[in-house]
């Protein structure tokens, strides 16, 4: 599947790896140094199910991992970044049926909107952007491997054919990603697409690997019979086939820790005979509105495209979202957006000055903040401080402008206060 265009990233000087990069790892519950074993960092971030436009919850998650990509790149690593698109799944079919639309057209339209939003927000694109539909053969092959390993079993489907389920009891490390008690696992499994009540399963938590073709629903031929894959095995197959064993970071929203990442890791454990699936499991917090998590099912979404269409600058929106730590659950309010807009304006003034306080020292401080579990609020405060004080380093404004672009993905057009040929800009200052 086609990804989206990459914005240019300025290369910064100085020592980018003065301090180790640490992130919070869900599986250990603590900070973990992520140091790629070679010149290339490997990242998998779960992608969208394309049945509705990109809302601020999505944007916050992808900005969190964009920050990680940018920090790695600043440290000289190439980044092999895989993101999937779950372009066939129940919610997509339900949305298409509700709207009387062709599910493939809904998926195409919403994926295109997502690409446009990510491009506008200057989120660096994944190196591999992979749809479930185009990966159907490799996912089915992975399910076959799990069956052959004795970790999966067939359950007769209601209208003929056989569904395939994964046996969580077969995976020795099952439960060690999200580290939840059993009752909590059951609750979340039921809430998040699982089917604990399905008759014929060996364990209520066993997740679906392959859904035999249902009447009126799309299906794909495979050695398992016609059908379509479950979501967790989709991500496991796509990740393993492109990133190999033990990618550096598995990322997603915090609502994916269980069951999604737990199950993908368990599938990978059986499919590869190795553990762990990922070096670190990194989860972004949820964005709420009016006291509730922003989600499609609640219908309380704020869309990126609508904010941009209403004239909100992408840089201001980025700064509004980066103003909270990526792991924190936060509320989206008008005040949050205003703060981002005010900050964007103040930074524009700051980098438009003829000189400022030491650029290299400020860059070093920004890098230290981001190395500390991608602490964007601290990095933003450092730039705020730099903008607030005068200085005599003539190289600082240009360096800060590049650093803000490279590390935070915010491109700032310098304001030329005294430019006689630009009355429009002049009047805006
Ligand atoms: Zn996933």
């Amino acid at each position: 599947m086609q990804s989206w265009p990459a914005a240019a990233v300025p290369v910064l000087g100085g020592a980018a790896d003065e301090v180790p990069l640490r992130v919070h790892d869900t599986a250990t519950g603590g900070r973990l140094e992520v140091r790629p074993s070679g010149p290339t960092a490997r990242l998998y971030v779960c992608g969208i199910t394309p049945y509705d436009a990109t809302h601020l919850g999505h944007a916050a998650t992808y900005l969190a991992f964009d920050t990680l990509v940018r920090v790695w790149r600043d440290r000289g690593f190439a980044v092999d970044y895989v993101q999937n698109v779950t372009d066939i799944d129940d919610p997509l079919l339900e949305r298409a049926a509700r709207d009387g639309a062709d599910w493939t057209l809904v998926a195409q339209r919403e994926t295109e909107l997502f690409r446009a939003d990510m491009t506008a927000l200057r989120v660096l694109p994944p190196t591999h952007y992979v749809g479930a539909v185009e990966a159907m053969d490799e996912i089915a092959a992975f399910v076959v491997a799990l069956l052959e390993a004795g970790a999966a079993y067939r359950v007769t489907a209601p209208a003929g054919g056989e569904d395939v389920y994964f046996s969580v009891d077969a995976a020795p490390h099952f439960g060690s990603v999200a580290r939840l008690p059993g009752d909590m696992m059951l609750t979340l499994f039921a809430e998040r697409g699982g089917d604990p009540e399905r008759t014929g399963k060996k364990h209520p938590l066993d997740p679906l690997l392959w859904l035999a073709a249902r009447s009126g629903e799309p299906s794909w031929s495979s050695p398992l019979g016609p059908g379509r894959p479950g979501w967790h095995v989709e991500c496991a197959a796509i990740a393993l086939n492109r990133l190999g064993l033990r990618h550096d970071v598995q990322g997603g929203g915090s609502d994916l820790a269980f069951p999604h990442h737990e199950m993908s890791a368990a599938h990978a454990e059986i499919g590869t005979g190795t553990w762990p699936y990922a070096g670190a499991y990194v989860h972004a917090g949820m964005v709420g509105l009016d006291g509730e998590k922003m989600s499609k099912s609640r219908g309380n979404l704020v869309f990126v495209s609508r904010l941009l269409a209403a004239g909100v600058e992408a840089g201001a929106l980025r700064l509004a979202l980066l103003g909270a730590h990526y792991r924190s659950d936060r509320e989206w309010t008008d005040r949050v957006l205003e703060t981002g807009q005010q900050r964007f304006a103040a930074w524009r003034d700051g980098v438009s000055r003829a000189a400022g306080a030491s650029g290299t020292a400020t860059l070093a401080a920004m890098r230290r903040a981001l190395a500390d579990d991608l602490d964007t609020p601290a990095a933003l405060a450092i730039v705020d401080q730099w903008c607030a004080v005068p200085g005599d380093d003539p190289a600082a404004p240009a360096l800060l402008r590049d650093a803000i672009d490279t590390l935070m993905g915010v491109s700032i057009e310098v304001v030329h206060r005294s430019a006689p040929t630009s009355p429009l800009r002049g009047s805006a200052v």
Side-chain angles (χ1 to χ4, degrees):
M1 189 171 272
Q2 195 189 340
S3 189
W4 57 89
V9 180
V11 175
L12 305 172
D17 51 1
E18 188 182 80
V19 294
L21 169 60
R22 290 196 174 86
V23 293
H24 182 90
D25 168 43
T26 301
T28 52
R31 294 279 172 91
L32 207 63
E33 182 181 353
V34 280
R35 184 203 287 268
S37 56
T40 303
R42 294 170 300 141
L43 170 68
Y44 188 94
V45 179
C46 293
I48 57 164
T49 299
Y51 66 100
D52 219 337
T54 319
H55 60 73
L56 292 179
H58 292 133
T61 293
Y62 297 114
L63 282 185
F65 295 100
D66 190 51
T67 307
L68 175 61
V69 169
R70 287 171 180 279
V71 169
W72 266 332
R73 286 179 56 152
D74 182 43
R75 287 169 177 247
F77 293 102
V79 182
D80 201 358
Y81 177 7
V82 179
Q83 190 180 127
N84 67 311
V85 183
T86 304
D87 55 359
I88 177 63
D89 205 357
D90 291 343
L92 175 58
L93 296 177
E94 286 159 14
R95 173 60 57 98
R98 189 199 75 177
D99 297 347
D102 181 331
W103 67 272
T104 61
L105 295 180
V106 174
Q108 278 171 21
R109 183 186 69 215
E110 299 304 333
T111 304
E112 191 47 50
L113 262 176
F114 179 73
R115 286 192 194 99
D117 288 345
M118 292 295 105
T119 306
L121 287 175
R122 304 178 91 251
V123 172
L124 294 172
T127 36
H128 303 273
Y129 195 46
V130 185
V133 169
E134 65 187 347
M136 204 53 76
D137 290 347
E138 62 182 277
I139 303 167
F142 195 66
V143 175
V144 170
L146 295 176
L147 272 166
E148 287 171 351
Y153 56 95
R154 298 173 197 272
V155 175
T156 303
E162 287 177 313
D163 299 332
V164 182
Y165 279 85
F166 180 78
S167 175
V168 294
D169 285 335
H173 288 89
F174 177 74
S176 58
V177 172
R179 297 176 301 119
L180 297 173
D183 56 343
M184 179 78 85
M185 286 200 272
L186 262 180
T187 303
L188 291 176
F189 185 70
E191 278 179 16
R192 297 174 177 169
D195 53 357
E197 311 285 339
R198 172 74 188 268
T199 52
K201 292 208 303 185
K202 292 180 178 173
H203 190 292
L205 290 174
D206 288 351
L208 180 77
L209 291 170
W210 189 259
L211 183 79
R214 300 294 199 264
S215 167
E217 292 188 1
S219 62
W220 287 262
S221 60
S222 82
L224 305 153
R228 58 186 166 96
W231 175 36
H232 317 307
V233 72
E234 168 194 330
C235 280
I238 289 173
L240 289 169
N241 286 334
R242 284 157 192 82
L243 297 174
L245 301 176
R246 199 181 189 277
H247 50 289
D248 294 295
V249 168
Q250 169 66 50
S254 59
D255 54 347
L256 299 192
F258 193 89
H260 186 52
H261 292 164
E262 190 78 63
M263 298 300 182
S264 291
H267 298 340
E269 177 176 22
I270 301 295
T272 67
T274 65
W275 184 265
Y277 175 48
Y281 299 86
V282 177
H283 291 111
M286 298 287 109
V287 178
L289 188 72
D290 303 328
E292 289 205 80
K293 174 191 152 187
M294 202 177 281
S295 73
K296 285 163 190 162
S297 53
R298 290 187 175 89
N300 60 341
L301 303 178
V302 178
F303 294 111
V304 170
S305 50
R306 281 195 206 147
L307 287 173
L308 296 175
V312 173
E313 290 170 291
L317 183 50
R318 262 191 97 112
L319 292 179
L321 288 166
L322 293 175
H325 190 268
Y326 80 90
R327 282 202 292 127
S328 62
D329 292 333
R330 74 296 270 284
E331 281 280 298
W332 180 258
T333 63
D334 291 343
R335 181 77 200 118
V336 171
L337 178 57
E338 283 161 21
T339 302
Q341 290 171 314
Q342 286 160 5
R343 181 171 263 146
F344 191 48
W347 288 16
R348 185 180 283 143
D349 285 348
V351 302
S352 299
R353 295 178 297 175
S358 168
T360 51
T362 308
L363 170 58
M366 289 168 72
R367 283 169 162 161
R368 279 194 298 275
L370 294 173
D372 181 16
D373 197 22
L374 309 174
D375 191 345
T376 55
L380 264 56
I382 288 161
V383 179
D384 290 344
Q385 176 66 17
W386 178 85
C387 290
V389 300
D392 55 10
D393 177 0
L399 177 55
L400 260 288
R401 181 174 176 269
D402 281 352
I404 291 163
D405 191 344
T406 301
L407 297 171
M408 297 173 184
V410 175
S411 170
I412 303 178
E413 197 175 343
V414 172
V415 181
H416 298 284
R417 290 166 189 275
S418 56
T421 54
S422 183
L424 203 65
R425 279 188 190 160
S427 68
V429 174

